[in-house]
Amino acid sequence: MTSIGIIGLGYVGLPLAVAFAQEGCDVVAVDVDARKIEAIEAGESYIEDVPSAVMREVAERVHATTRYARLAKTDAVLVCVPTPLTANREPDLGPLIDSTRSLSEVLQADQLVVLESTTYPGTTRERVAPLLEESGLTAGRDFHLAFSPERVDPGRTDFTLRNTPKVVGGLTDACAARAEEIYGLVCDNLIRVSSPEAAELTKLLENIFRSVNIALVNELAMLTDRMGIDIWEVVDAAATKPYGFMCFEPGPGMGGHCLPVDPFYLSWRAREFDMATEFIELSGKVNQQMPYHCVAKAQRVLNDAGKSVNGARIAVLGVSYKPGVGDIRESPALKIISLLKDLGADVRYHDPHVPTLAGHNLHSLPLDEALADADLALIVTAHPGVDHDLLAERAGHVLDLRGVTRSSGAENVVRL
């Protein structure tokens, strides 16, 4: 029986652990957060993509622990720890370095280690390999080392771990072959590239492509706002072209664990090669500006209704970074709420996936209660199951930042 170790049990690691367990593998699941370990042991899932019923089905094969020692008996260890940014928007490899150093203390000959955490090109070879070699084993000779970027899109069901192509780059050909052998258990389509660096950059390109195009349409949204042109009409019309155009929609900004972070990993790395990635950095600046534009538009909507934002009752609808999930990492809603509160607004919110916002001392209200006396309903994240057209009919004034009310003819609705 193949034994798999997983370090980091978040949106990437936990689905991986379940997928390997479903294929009959024995899984050692490691995380520093004892609450996650307790949840797994109780058969309870804490992320939307893994139902608790599924967790209970594989409970006998998933062994959750905070102890790295149990990884010594596994055939492969997949590292899925967070790689966030510092306050200065530079890579924070602290969790990766800590986990790698702990792994080196129990690393065994012939084991496979794969880094899945998004990072800059060169991390696997220059940072991870030397730390693992503190074990006395040599990467590529005594143990296998590879990079395989995660391609998780939380809340999505049409593309899963099984049917999403998996990119793999090994330190050597033998490393890549071993990684393909392991991932072949849970992935139908494997894409081998020549090196860990190529695999690392593949992930960054995927997300930078989205970041740049989202920034482009967001910048156009700010321009069309001044020009009196409906950006949604323009986007819908352009999307009818059957070639050469890919539809991206404007919004209040980017959130999640990838898009707001990954471009800065490459721009930071590029500076080490005496190059400024101005195009990439500009897209980041544009997208970071969107919450300010959205708040300014909310002020204008209230002003047109004869109200001041100071003291206005504003219902924010959706605070997670994307529909259908409870992940609030880098969510533009958090910045929008902060800006509105700084202007004196009385902010409340409704989000069926996010019960509390501890940082703002707010709790999700039932939709009817949130809208009851609101001066403005602000659609920030359009969760499935919420009837936004009905909302438009019931609310006094609505500012739709996601374009989900395009079919509504309600005169009280203003769109981004």
Side-chain angles (χ1 to χ4, degrees):
M1 177 188 298
T2 302
S3 178
I4 304 293
I6 308 283
I7 302 176
L9 302 175
Y11 281 87
V12 177
L14 186 61
L16 271 172
V18 170
F20 278 105
Q22 288 176 323
E23 296 303 318
C25 298
D26 194 47
V27 179
V28 176
V30 177
D31 200 287
V32 296
D33 188 345
R35 292 172 299 179
K36 292 181 179 178
I37 304 304
E38 293 171 1
I40 294 172
E41 289 178 338
E44 298 296 331
S45 175
Y46 42 85
I47 67 172
E48 293 86 355
D49 290 354
V50 179
S52 293
V54 174
M55 280 296 312
R56 289 190 284 272
E57 289 174 2
V58 299
E60 293 183 356
R61 291 189 292 275
V62 178
H63 313 284
T65 179
T66 59
R67 298 179 62 245
Y68 278 73
R70 298 187 64 177
L71 295 171
K73 295 183 179 180
T74 61
D75 299 300
V77 180
L78 314 182
V79 182
C80 311
V81 298
T83 45
L85 295 173
T86 68
N88 295 324
R89 313 301 285 180
E90 294 184 346
D92 178 6
L93 296 185
L96 175 59
I97 290 172
D98 291 343
S99 61
T100 303
R101 184 166 283 128
S102 296
L103 176 58
S104 72
E105 296 175 358
V106 299
L107 187 67
Q108 303 295 308
D110 296 326
Q111 277 186 314
L112 167 69
V113 178
V114 184
L115 176 59
E116 288 219 2
S117 306
T118 303
T119 186
Y120 59 82
T123 302
T124 304
R125 190 184 304 271
E126 299 169 13
R127 302 299 300 273
V128 173
L131 287 172
L132 293 176
E133 288 177 341
E134 291 179 1
S135 64
L137 303 173
T138 300
R141 188 189 68 190
D142 302 318
F143 68 92
H144 300 294
L145 180 61
F147 183 86
S148 181
E150 56 89 2
R151 280 176 163 171
V152 174
D153 192 1
R156 191 158 193 162
T157 57
D158 53 345
F159 288 105
T160 63
L161 179 63
R162 171 62 70 181
N163 66 359
T164 300
K166 188 78 168 132
V167 174
V168 173
L171 200 64
T172 66
D173 287 341
C175 292
R178 180 61 176 144
E180 287 180 319
E181 180 183 350
I182 291 297
Y183 281 115
L185 297 172
V186 294
C187 302
D188 290 337
N189 189 6
L190 299 170
I191 311 297
R192 187 195 290 202
V193 293
S194 62
S195 65
E197 290 82 1
E200 289 160 341
L201 187 55
T202 296
K203 173 63 174 180
L204 296 184
L205 173 58
E206 293 170 8
N207 286 335
I208 290 169
F209 174 84
R210 287 183 51 78
S211 174
V212 167
N213 282 280
I214 291 171
L216 171 63
V217 74
N218 277 341
E219 191 168 61
L220 282 175
M222 289 186 273
L223 174 61
T224 53
D225 186 50
R226 296 188 182 189
M227 298 175 72
I229 300 172
D230 185 348
I231 184 61
W232 299 101
E233 180 183 9
V234 173
V235 168
D236 287 344
T240 64
K241 185 178 181 180
Y243 58 89
F245 180 80
M246 184 176 292
C247 185
F248 286 83
E249 295 184 340
M254 298 189 306
H257 64 295
C258 288
L259 294 186
V261 174
D262 295 357
F264 291 98
Y265 265 76
L266 187 58
S267 60
W268 176 85
R269 182 62 163 166
R271 288 195 292 272
E272 294 192 338
F273 291 84
D274 297 322
M275 181 175 175
T277 51
E278 297 178 31
F279 202 64
I280 296 173
E281 293 179 30
L282 177 61
S283 70
K285 293 176 182 177
V286 170
N287 289 324
Q288 288 177 338
Q289 189 63 30
M290 283 306 293
Y292 295 90
H293 172 72
C294 294
V295 168
K297 189 141 187 171
Q299 287 181 279
R300 294 203 303 274
V301 172
L302 288 167
N303 186 64
D304 290 344
K307 299 179 182 294
S308 168
V309 68
N310 187 7
R313 297 177 295 272
I314 299 179
V316 173
L317 306 181
V319 298
S320 62
Y321 86 91
K322 65 172 292 186
V325 303
D327 193 345
I328 62 171
R329 285 177 293 179
E330 303 288 337
S331 173
L334 305 182
K335 185 64 176 180
I336 288 172
I337 290 173
S338 293
L339 293 172
L340 289 172
K341 292 176 73 173
D342 288 344
L343 292 170
D346 174 10
V347 180
R348 71 285 304 272
Y349 82 93
H350 168 74
D351 192 313
H353 300 276
V354 184
T356 61
L357 286 178
H360 292 284
N361 195 29
L362 293 174
H363 301 272
S364 178
L365 299 176
L367 183 58
D368 288 345
E369 186 177 340
L371 293 174
D373 60 349
D375 297 306
L376 176 67
L378 190 60
I379 302 174
V380 181
T381 303
H383 284 301
V386 176
D387 189 337
H388 293 97
D389 287 335
L390 180 62
L391 179 156
E393 293 176 7
R394 297 186 56 183
H397 298 280
V398 178
L399 175 55
D400 176 9
L401 304 180
R402 294 292 184 179
V404 292
T405 61
R406 275 176 278 182
S407 62
S408 172
E411 295 182 357
N412 63 324
V413 177
V414 176
R415 282 176 283 277
L416 179 65

